[in-house]
Amino acid sequence: MNETLIVLEALLVIAALIILALGIIALGTKLISRPSKIGKVEIGALVDSTQSDQRGAVRSVQSADMQINSQRLDEIWTPMHLERLASTYWRFLTRCTLGLIQIEYTEEERFVVLICRPFVLLAFRKPEYQMDDRRGIVRWRIERGLLVAAPGVDGDGYLEIDVARKPGAKPGSSTLHVDVEIANYFPQIAVLFSKWIYAATQSKIHVLVCYAFLRSIAHGDLAESRLVHFTPINQLPTPSGPRPRDRGVS
């Protein structure tokens, strides 16, 4: 009986998300495909690549390049601002769903919940940080949740933000490469409904969140840090390997 109730609750949650997603998609899709400019910051067009493998695992990468003042970028190229960047991503997820989706924090986990627990849509382990003077990575390992199908529970799935910098085309400017990747993720929506429903709803929400996330960076509107102490940049692991946009399907 309890298992039946849990399944019914999951179906209701997913149905509500689908309705919400369709509304958000109708309002925001036009914003995704074109470049934009905020003050002196130029945001290139957002490139979306979403694929699934034979197991049903999804890999989705949203990428864009920003032209930003080099001095300003130097000022925020710190572990503290990398953590603020991560918090900004979660904050916008709450904003774009009008507060229906909340983020709850513990020392060891991050929970994406519908209003409040126990409706945990996604649960992640605490973030892992890598950073040097040219690249920064924040990665959250997927644990479980109503939106995670059984093969993905405590598997090797993760959500990652990868930022890299290089000199820009104009004097005094830098190019900031931003990738947001979710990999080895098994969506429950695809299992219960279809891959098409997942692609048209939850996947599109992720794209819209990424677009607004980029605009938050351009505005300089970063969320406040939730950490008190920060590891110096030279004591963090050094990022290695290609950026998400340059990797093949997981």
Side-chain angles (χ1 to χ4, degrees), residues 186-204:
F186 290 82
Q188 186 73 282
I189 288 177
V191 173
L192 295 178
F193 296 96
S194 70
K195 291 182 180 179
W196 180 88
I197 292 292
Y198 167 75
T201 55
Q202 186 183 346
S203 178
K204 292 302 182 186

Side-chain angles (χ1 to χ4, degrees), residues 17-238:
L17 283 176
I18 290 173
I19 294 171
L20 177 64
L22 292 174
I24 294 173
I25 291 165
L27 292 172
T29 300
K30 291 183 180 180
L31 298 175
I32 301 173
S33 60
R34 60 176 185 259
S36 62
K37 188 171 182 178
I38 298 175
K40 295 182 179 181
V41 178
E42 298 177 6
I43 306 175
L46 183 68
V47 178
D48 174 38
S49 174
T50 302
Q51 304 175 49
S52 59
D53 63 20
Q54 295 179 344
R55 303 170 301 156
V58 168
R59 180 174 183 264
S60 180
V61 181
Q62 286 75 44
S63 302
D65 292 339
M66 305 173 64
Q67 301 301 316
I68 189 169
N69 180 272
S70 296
Q71 182 177 350
R72 173 58 182 154
L73 187 56
D74 285 339
E75 292 171 356
I76 63 174
W77 197 261
T78 67
M80 180 187 74
H81 285 91
L82 184 62
E83 199 276 334
R84 290 184 65 185
L85 189 68
S87 296
T88 301
Y89 178 85
W90 295 122
R91 182 185 67 181
F92 190 80
L93 187 56
T94 296
R95 286 181 174 179
C96 78
T97 57
L98 304 179
L100 291 177
I101 293 180
Q102 297 286 329
I103 311 302
E104 296 188 7
Y105 296 79
T106 69
E107 288 294 325
E108 298 298 324
E109 293 176 296
R110 304 291 184 269
F111 300 102
V112 180
V113 303
L114 182 64
I115 302 176
C116 64
R117 280 189 275 181
F119 300 110
V120 177
L121 305 179
L122 292 163
F124 297 88
R125 301 189 189 103
K126 66 181 181 181
E128 305 164 7
Y129 295 92
Q130 301 174 27
M131 195 174 193
D132 60 16
D133 61 348
R134 291 295 168 189
R135 189 177 175 192
I137 297 173
V138 187
R139 182 182 296 119
W140 299 267
R141 307 281 181 178
I142 298 172
E143 285 189 329
R144 62 190 185 281
L146 293 174
L147 296 180
V148 182
V153 175
D154 287 323
D156 55 358
Y158 61 86
L159 171 66
E160 175 179 300
I161 297 173
D162 189 312
V163 291
R165 59 182 297 189
K166 70 176 186 179
K170 301 176 183 178
S173 72
S174 293
T175 299
L176 182 65
H177 304 287
V178 183
D179 296 332
V180 180
E181 176 189 29
I182 187 166
N184 296 319
Y185 168 57
F186 290 82
Q188 186 73 282
I189 288 177
V191 173
L192 295 178
F193 296 96
S194 70
K195 291 182 180 179
W196 180 88
I197 292 292
Y198 167 75
T201 55
Q202 186 183 346
S203 178
K204 292 302 182 186
I205 287 180
H206 184 60
V207 174
L208 290 171
V209 168
C210 289
Y211 182 87
F213 170 63
L214 291 171
R215 292 180 65 85
S216 294
I217 298 173
H219 279 295
D221 180 25
L222 298 181
E224 290 302 316
S225 174
R226 291 180 173 270
L227 299 181
V228 177
H229 302 290
F230 296 91
T231 302
I233 190 171
N234 60 2
Q235 293 182 21
L236 286 174
T238 300

